[in-house]
Amino acid sequence: MQRFAHPANKSAVYITVLAYALYVLLFALLHDSFGLVVGALAVISVVPASWYFGYKHGIVAAALCILNNIIQLFIQREAATEGLFGSSEIIGFLVLAFVAFVVGTLKTLTEERSQALLKLEQYEQERRAYTEFLERLNSITSRALEA
């Protein structure tokens, strides 16, 4: 069985940073049209961060997304207290933290299972080799006893 295709750490960093930059850009462009609902797109940056680096980094990405929302609301002259202490930001962070936890845990479980499968395949190959050795030894012994 082949391992899952994971980009190198350097590529993972680039993918995560690009995803966060995409979120920042989309939030800035679409906030006027759709309002705070655009904050749901923060999943774009939280998922890669938690997949490649674990749920702790996913939670950091979620905090950065919420911070981005607050800063952009402040820059766009909306009520800073509404953006900072609004229930949508708190609930949004909790949802993003949950998503980060689920994705990070799923990645960990996937890696553990793939490593377990690789070990099982290795054990199976060793068992086959041992069985083949015993069959050959049995053949040699039976020939020696017949002679």
Side-chain angles (χ1 to χ4, degrees), residues 1-12:
M1 172 179 228
Q2 295 180 3
R3 294 207 61 183
F4 293 103
H6 295 296
N9 246 352
K10 203 173 201 181
S11 298

Side-chain angles (χ1 to χ4, degrees), residues 75-95:
I75 290 173
Q76 294 175 1
R77 308 256 190 264
E78 292 193 21
T81 56
E82 176 186 325
L84 184 58
F85 300 112
S87 62
S88 65
E89 296 296 334
I90 295 170
I91 292 172
F93 176 74
L94 293 176
V95 168

Side-chain angles (χ1 to χ4, degrees), residues 4-114:
F4 293 103
H6 295 296
N9 246 352
K10 203 173 201 181
S11 298
V13 171
Y14 292 142
I15 290 170
T16 306
V17 169
L18 180 67
Y20 181 73
L22 177 67
Y23 170 70
V24 170
L25 180 68
L26 286 175
F27 188 87
L29 293 175
L30 299 176
H31 177 261
D32 291 335
S33 302
F34 297 103
L36 288 177
V37 175
V38 178
L41 294 176
V43 171
I44 291 173
S45 65
V46 171
V47 168
S50 58
W51 181 262
Y52 292 123
F53 303 109
Y55 72 91
K56 292 178 183 176
H57 288 88
I59 291 174
V60 170
L64 288 173
C65 290
I66 298 300
L67 183 63
N68 169 63
N69 295 357
I70 293 169
I71 290 171
Q72 286 198 23
L73 290 175
F74 183 73
I75 290 173
Q76 294 175 1
R77 308 256 190 264
E78 292 193 21
T81 56
E82 176 186 325
L84 184 58
F85 300 112
S87 62
S88 65
E89 296 296 334
I90 295 170
I91 292 172
F93 176 74
L94 293 176
V95 168
L96 289 174
F98 177 72
V99 168
F101 178 75
V102 168
V103 171
T105 304
L106 180 66
K107 166 70 181 305
T108 303
L109 290 175
T110 303
E111 281 185 344
E112 288 175 356
R113 298 301 184 253
S114 71

